Amino acid sequence: MADPVITSAVRVRGLTRTFGTRRVLRDVDLDIAGGEFVALLGRSGSGKSTLLRVLAGLDREVRGEVDVPGTVSVAFQQPRLLPWRRVWRNVSLGLRGVDGRAVAVKALAEVQLAGHAEAWPLTLSGGEAQRVSLARALVREPDVLLLDEPFGALDALTRLAMHALVERLWNTHRPAVLLVTHDVDEALLLADRVLVLDDGHVITEHRVDLARPRDRGSLVDLRAEVLADLGVDRETT
Amino acid sequence: MSISTTGVLARPRTADARPDPPAKKRRPPDLRRWISPVALVLLWQAASSTGVLPPDELASPVTVARAAVDLAVDGELGSAFAVSLRRVAVGFVLGAAAGLALGLLAGLSRWSETLVDPPVQMLRTLPHLGLIPLFILWFGIGEEPKIALIACGVAFPLYLNLHSGIRQTDPDLLEAARVLGYTRAERVRHVVLPSAVPQTLVGLRIALGTAWLSLIVAEQVNADAGIGHLINNAREFLRTDVVVVGLLVYALLGLTTDALVRGLERRVLRWQTR
């Protein structure tokens, strides 16, 4: 799979994406090292989801260099499970046709859903379905895991549990992660590096050199800085 | 009589869309609902017994029941039933093959859709039962025009519902499959076809209803065997009891196939229960 010579899991140079006359991504450079956790912050319309779609290979109408040599998995904002396949079959979809029931159940156990292997997706709660979606993304041992606001549709309590889960899964499997989000706290809690995307361009980058698991208290200063980058005043937060 | 052959979207398609509220638990049947039907039959019997309803207009329930037993015992009902059932079966298989093949073609390929869909949409506006005169001219008065009429009634609803079922596949699910590396053929197999099943089953139910209707109309014309022949013969001899028996058999056949499809739906669509 991963060639030892390859040091970066994602390498993007001069990426530009235009929709009609609108330039959604302008000359973006991005490197993600193998096993690195990067968060991409931005307001709606900043182009962050477009960038993720390009990395996922879903959008090829681009100019510039995009190099993602390894296996890529995506977890979307909606779990996008096939409702007519049982939960474990949805997970083994990640293995493409291989009848990997044992592997799928093991992946479900990692997200605490081994007991739901035989369930139908429509019987799951939003958080459970999203965990199945994570299991499906991880079961193929990706080199790069792209997370497109995967907690956006969940309630606050479930989201906290999901943060801890994602951190643990990342520790176990060590894929390079690109987390697209508009939640500053989420980005700072999880990522090694936080990029702020504005108007199609990466405007700043923050390294988060804090031990994990992080607590929110230690993030206050960094949080203010990032919010300022996003154009949010301290008074309004 | 009007049977709609347009597509009806009866069920949710995606994991995010919440499906209909759970079906009501089966309750013990409310026996009070039998009061008025039984009263009507009793009234009918009373009208017949007192002579208000002459037997050459409508036979009494008791006479009808007796006629049913007689016809069943001497085998006349059984053989008529077999002939009619065979007509529907052959017509259904032919019509279903055509409707499903064209629906798949139009659903899966843009080019085929451009070529196939316009003529089919134009033809479906023709009331197919009105085609009998043409079919008699083309096929004579044997089995062929009857089977052709039934096949027409079956093909259109299946085509329309399969086609629109395929077209309504959730693009988000297709995208998720693409990210997992699924080829086009695999996406069709795992995503497109399963998501078209609920609506195709709606089409199947409409198709079966139309098939029985087509049979009844077709058998009014020159049938030398089958339930329709039995009924027409009985009319000549003012045997209203036999006419009613024939009608009841038609009704039972329709109900039976409908129940079969419902059973099939419960099994195939069990992923929709929550």
Side-chain angles (χ1 to χ4, degrees):
Chain A
M1 224 195 306
D3 195 306
V5 179
I6 298 164
T7 46
S8 64
V10 172
R11 186 171 179 280
V12 172
R13 287 292 175 274
L15 173 65
T16 299
R17 174 65 163 111
T18 338
F19 289 103
T21 55
R22 222 167 75 78
R23 292 173 82 196
V24 181
L25 292 174
R26 298 182 294 129
D27 208 21
V28 172
D29 294 346
L30 173 68
D31 285 286
I32 303 178
E36 190 185 17
F37 199 130
V38 174
L40 186 64
L41 271 170
R43 299 158 168 274
S44 346
S46 59
K48 53 190 195 308
S49 286
T50 308
L51 179 53
L52 182 134
R53 291 176 56 83
V54 171
L55 296 182
L58 288 169
D59 185 348
R60 297 183 196 276
E61 309 278 300
V62 294
R63 275 190 295 129
E65 244 182 81
V66 178
D67 195 15
V68 188
T71 328
V72 181
S73 279
V74 185
F76 299 93
Q77 179 163 12
Q78 299 297 334
R80 303 197 187 180
L81 305 176
L82 299 181
W84 44 84
R85 294 268 192 276
R86 291 185 190 276
V87 163
W88 76 266
R89 282 204 179 274
N90 264 284
V91 174
S92 74
L93 281 178
L95 301 165
R96 284 205 55 220
V98 184
D99 185 25
R101 193 176 192 286
V103 185
V105 171
K106 197 169 145 259
L108 282 167
E110 279 194 276
V111 296
Q112 284 100 47
L113 283 174
H116 289 64
E118 293 295 333
W120 296 108
L122 289 178
T123 63
L124 301 178
S125 72
E128 287 169 341
Q130 198 55 275
R131 271 143 69 197
V132 174
S133 162
L134 275 177
R136 179 179 66 183
L138 284 168
V139 75
R140 50 211 237 109
E141 295 289 343
D143 300 302
V144 180
L145 175 63
L146 304 172
L147 302 173
D148 189 4
E149 300 189 35
F151 321 119
L154 303 177
D155 65 87
L157 292 174
T158 311
R159 205 178 309 159
L160 290 180
M162 289 292 279
H163 289 159
L165 176 66
V166 164
E167 188 162 65
R168 212 183 59 237
L169 291 172
W170 173 68
N171 266 321
T172 322
H173 298 269
R174 280 289 162 168
V177 177
L178 181 71
L179 168 68
V180 165
T181 178
H182 50 235
D183 181 337
V184 175
D185 292 325
E186 183 171 291
L188 293 175
L189 275 173
L190 294 172
D192 297 317
R193 207 148 47 95
V194 176
L195 307 177
V196 178
L197 195 68
D198 187 47
D199 198 19
H201 205 76
V202 178
I203 54 165
T204 47
E205 177 180 328
H206 296 270
R207 212 157 250 300
V208 191
D209 287 321
L210 295 166
R212 294 188 169 86
R214 296 164 184 161
D215 81 279
R216 275 149 207 274
S218 62
L219 299 169
V220 174
D221 294 344
L222 206 47
R223 181 169 189 271
E225 271 179 54
V226 175
L227 283 172
D229 292 340
L230 287 162
V232 184
D233 282 342
R234 199 179 267 274
E235 288 84 66
T236 57
T237 56
Chain B
M1 91 194 113
S2 81
I3 286 216
S4 159
T5 51
T6 42
V8 185
L9 176 64
R11 292 174 203 278
R13 293 160 292 116
T14 63
D16 350 314
R18 298 264 135 174
D20 305 331
K24 276 183 214 145
K25 287 243 166 69
R26 242 177 231 204
R27 271 175 290 174
D30 186 352
L31 292 176
R32 287 172 304 177
R33 295 183 57 84
W34 283 99
I35 294 174
S36 47
V38 169
L40 281 172
V41 173
L42 289 176
L43 198 67
W44 172 13
Q45 181 63 47
S48 296
S49 306
T50 53
V52 176
L53 194 58
D56 51 357
E57 281 178 23
L58 190 60
S60 75
V62 173
T63 323
V64 169
R66 207 176 292 136
V69 173
D70 289 349
L71 286 167
V73 168
D74 72 10
E76 209 177 336
L77 193 61
S79 55
F81 177 84
V83 169
S84 291
L85 192 65
R86 186 179 163 276
R87 283 177 187 143
V88 170
V90 175
F92 179 84
V93 168
L94 293 177
L100 293 177
L102 288 173
L104 276 178
L105 210 60
L108 295 178
S109 141
R110 284 278 168 200
W111 252 111
S112 310
E113 180 179 37
T114 311
L115 297 177
V116 171
D117 200 49
V120 176
Q121 295 288 351
M122 289 173 200
L123 284 174
R124 84 177 175 94
T125 61
L126 289 177
H128 81 285
L129 297 178
L131 293 173
I132 292 188
L134 273 182
F135 282 180
I136 290 176
L137 287 175
W138 294 345
F139 303 117
I141 51 167
E143 289 299 290
E144 292 89 348
K146 300 177 183 61
I147 287 170
L149 195 73
I150 294 164
C152 274
V154 168
F156 285 98
L158 276 179
Y159 167 86
L160 293 168
N161 283 282
L162 175 58
H163 177 217
S164 84
I166 289 176
R167 280 275 163 258
Q168 283 163 4
T169 305
D170 184 351
D172 282 357
L173 293 182
L174 286 172
E175 202 175 80
R178 246 173 82 199
V179 171
L180 293 171
Y182 280 69
T183 62
R184 194 181 136 72
E186 288 171 322
R187 293 200 296 272
V188 167
R189 194 183 134 217
H190 291 286
V191 183
V192 176
L193 294 182
S195 78
V197 166
Q199 181 135 12
T200 307
L201 284 171
V202 172
L204 177 64
R205 255 163 72 182
I206 299 173
L208 282 168
T210 319
W212 291 116
L213 197 65
S214 309
L215 173 79
I216 294 166
V217 173
E219 287 192 336
Q220 293 299 307
V221 184
N222 272 305
D224 51 10
I227 305 283
H229 174 69
L230 193 75
I231 290 177
N232 277 347
N233 239 6
R235 190 196 58 207
E236 307 267 323
F237 299 101
L238 300 179
R239 288 287 304 272
T240 53
D241 51 346
V242 177
V243 172
V244 173
V245 170
L247 291 176
L248 288 175
V249 172
Y250 278 143
L252 275 176
L253 283 170
L255 284 174
T256 310
T257 44
D258 205 58
L260 286 176
V261 179
R262 274 171 206 277
L264 185 69
E265 279 183 351
R266 259 199 301 281
R267 177 152 175 73
V268 176
L269 302 180
R270 64 198 191 287
W271 54 269
Q272 290 182 337
T273 56
R274 25 182 31 261

